[in-house]
Amino acid sequence: MSNPILKVENLHVNFNTYAGTVQAIRDVSFDLNKGETLAIVGESGSGKSVTTKTLMGLNAKNALIPDNSRLIFKDRNLLDLKEEEWQSVRGNEIAMIFQDPMTSLDPTMRIGMQIAEPLMKHRKMKKVAALARALELMKGVGIPNAEEHINDYPHQWSGGMRQRAVIAIALAVDPEILIADEPTTALDVTIQAQILKLMKELQKDTGSSIIFITHDLGVVAGMANRVAVMYAGKIVEYGTVDEIFFNPQHPYTWGLLNSMPTTDTKVGSLVAIPGTPPDLLDPPTGDAFASRNEYALAIDLKEEPPFFRVSDTHYAATWLLDERAPKVTPPVQIQRRWERWREIQGQEAQS
Ligand SMILES: Nc1ncnc2c1ncn2[C@@H]1O[C@H](COP(=O)(O)OP(=O)(O)OP(=O)(O)O)[C@@H](O)[C@H]1O
């Protein structure tokens, strides 16, 4: 049963620029359930980072958020918080792991002290106790010989170890929501896998909910419970991880899946989505993906598709799901995924 800890309702974020208003987030709504990992996936510029920065109260000064946007967390609309009130939410109830550990670590401060700091600030722990806890956390995130390294500075550590330190800082205060924005993109593949595994294990222990931001659907399979696919400032499809991987309905999701390597991908069979996303200074009428969509219908150029229900947990905003739409044959890789979906459904029906 769903148990939302966070409800994002009708979020719009506009940016005032010299060229006009950039409509970066255009009516995004989603729930985050307790203890789950929700992945938000999309190409560069789709609005993933603006969404998470908004959730941390860290948007740029030129951001404008209309009054009907709501981020409900613990019976409060986070968008109504004053900066002093944010101080007790950010890095405490809601914490974030950024893409590049070097930008979130202070190069002039010893790592142990950086992990201890949120405990002193938010938990009012004394320095000695906070440092003792920092040492435990360093061990918990797999820093070898932690005692010897608690007084090191960030530049003395490798990228993978630094990202572990960032995770320790974020988890020090046991946040209810952890936002991880491309937490492993700066790392090599083996270290990436270790960090993702570590995050999963820590989540089991702490029960926190995770919003996991990535442009790479490949890392989502092992991490997320549910997936929201974003395009041009909107969520275009959301569902459980199996629904998105094996029963995708939006042609944009098809494109993302087809541009993702899998273990049985033949060389040369990966296809990048042609074209580029629309200019958010002047988003197109209708479905913003239409100009890149080989399955586009005439109505896509005129009217924006609503969300169509695929199951209780799966919705997609594509006119292809309208009962009047012609039946289209998706790319062969997607047909294979749909076959796999039918097998999974069959197995579930039998058991
Ligand atoms: N301060 C700002 N002023 C104007 N436009 C902005 C500002 N911040 C973000 N944008 C625009 O908002 C849109 C969404 O950006 P966002 O960074 O959220 O994308 P993203 O999906 O996170 O991409 P990436 O994967 O590259 O980080 C982009 O068109 C971006 O140019």
Side-chain angles (χ1 to χ4, degrees):
M1 235 194 5
S2 69
N3 182 9
I5 181 162
L6 172 78
K7 285 173 99 57
V8 175
E9 293 172 358
N10 312 110
L11 179 65
H12 289 258
V13 181
N14 299 320
F15 290 105
N16 264 340
T17 71
Y18 69 91
T21 305
V22 177
Q23 298 175 41
I25 304 297
R26 305 183 301 137
D27 201 12
V28 159
S29 298
F30 63 85
D31 287 352
L32 178 69
N33 295 322
K34 203 166 164 25
E36 80 165 339
T37 299
L38 172 73
I40 303 183
V41 186
E43 288 168 300
S44 184
S46 55
K48 308 177 301 287
S49 294
V50 172
T51 305
T52 55
K53 282 189 189 140
T54 309
L55 288 170
M56 290 289 286
L58 287 176
N59 254 327
K61 293 254 177 319
N62 60 338
L64 285 173
I65 303 180
D67 286 345
N68 65 342
S69 296
R70 287 156 62 85
L71 304 178
I72 305 297
F73 174 65
K74 293 190 170 168
D75 300 324
R76 295 172 292 188
N77 183 1
L78 294 176
L79 296 171
D80 294 338
L81 297 190
K82 300 193 183 64
E83 184 47 38
E84 311 86 81
E85 294 170 306
W86 265 114
Q87 296 288 330
S88 69
V89 175
R90 190 189 302 133
N92 183 25
E93 293 172 300
I94 306 181
M96 181 150 179
I97 303 171
F98 291 93
Q99 210 169 100
D100 176 5
M102 263 334 235
T103 54
S104 41
L105 289 174
D106 180 344
T108 66
M109 200 198 263
R110 297 181 194 280
I111 291 175
M113 203 48 215
Q114 297 194 48
I115 303 172
E117 217 179 29
L119 292 164
M120 290 157 67
K121 180 178 171 196
H122 296 295
R123 297 286 175 271
K124 308 287 175 251
M125 279 170 88
K126 293 270 183 312
K127 188 172 163 185
V128 175
L131 278 170
R133 177 75 187 125
L135 184 62
E136 275 175 34
L137 284 157
M138 283 171 68
K139 291 178 183 163
V141 297
I143 307 288
N145 307 322
E147 287 88 351
E148 285 168 34
H149 294 291
I150 190 160
N151 287 323
D152 288 355
Y153 289 97
H155 74 267
Q156 295 173 272
W157 286 20
S158 67
M161 287 298 145
R162 286 197 288 254
Q163 195 58 308
R164 284 171 195 258
V166 173
I167 293 175
I169 295 170
L171 293 177
V173 287
D174 211 357
E176 278 150 277
I177 300 177
L178 181 66
I179 300 174
D181 190 351
E182 306 263 11
T184 58
T185 12
L187 306 171
D188 76 49
V189 182
T190 328
I191 312 288
Q192 250 187 46
Q194 288 172 9
I195 298 279
L196 294 174
K197 186 162 167 265
L198 172 69
M199 285 183 61
K200 245 0 265 164
E201 284 166 8
L202 293 171
Q203 184 188 32
K204 242 190 242 160
D205 297 342
T206 60
S208 47
S209 309
I210 299 181
I211 298 181
F212 189 86
I213 304 292
T214 180
H215 64 277
D216 179 2
L217 258 173
V219 300
V220 164
M223 267 314 275
N225 305 97
R226 288 191 305 136
V227 182
V229 179
M230 269 192 97
Y231 184 74
K234 285 178 176 287
I235 291 177
V236 295
E237 180 161 8
Y238 62 93
T240 64
V241 76
D242 276 357
E243 285 168 332
I244 297 298
F245 272 79
F246 299 115
N247 194 24
Q249 298 295 322
H250 198 291
Y252 179 62
T253 315
W254 297 348
L256 283 182
L257 287 164
N258 284 349
S259 55
M260 174 189 107
T262 58
T263 43
D264 62 351
T265 306
K266 293 188 191 66
V267 178
S269 66
L270 291 180
V271 201
I273 304 174
T276 49
D279 181 359
L280 296 176
L281 277 167
D282 184 20
T285 309
D287 183 338
F289 188 57
S291 64
R292 303 173 72 186
N293 179 7
E294 63 176 294
Y295 304 93
L297 308 171
I299 190 168
D300 280 312
L301 301 172
K302 294 186 211 128
E303 216 179 304
E304 207 178 301
F307 273 115
F308 289 90
R309 180 187 173 281
V310 184
S311 78
D312 282 351
T313 48
H314 185 186
Y315 286 79
T318 165
W319 283 117
L320 291 179
L321 290 175
D322 189 285
E323 57 188 16
R324 294 160 294 181
K327 289 280 157 276
V328 301
T329 308
V332 64
Q333 300 92 324
I334 300 300
Q335 291 177 43
R336 282 202 213 108
R337 287 177 184 272
W338 284 3
E339 276 164 28
R340 179 77 193 108
W341 178 246
R342 284 190 288 272
E343 282 166 26
I344 296 172
Q345 298 292 91
Q347 283 156 7
E348 277 175 10
Q350 274 174 11
S351 61

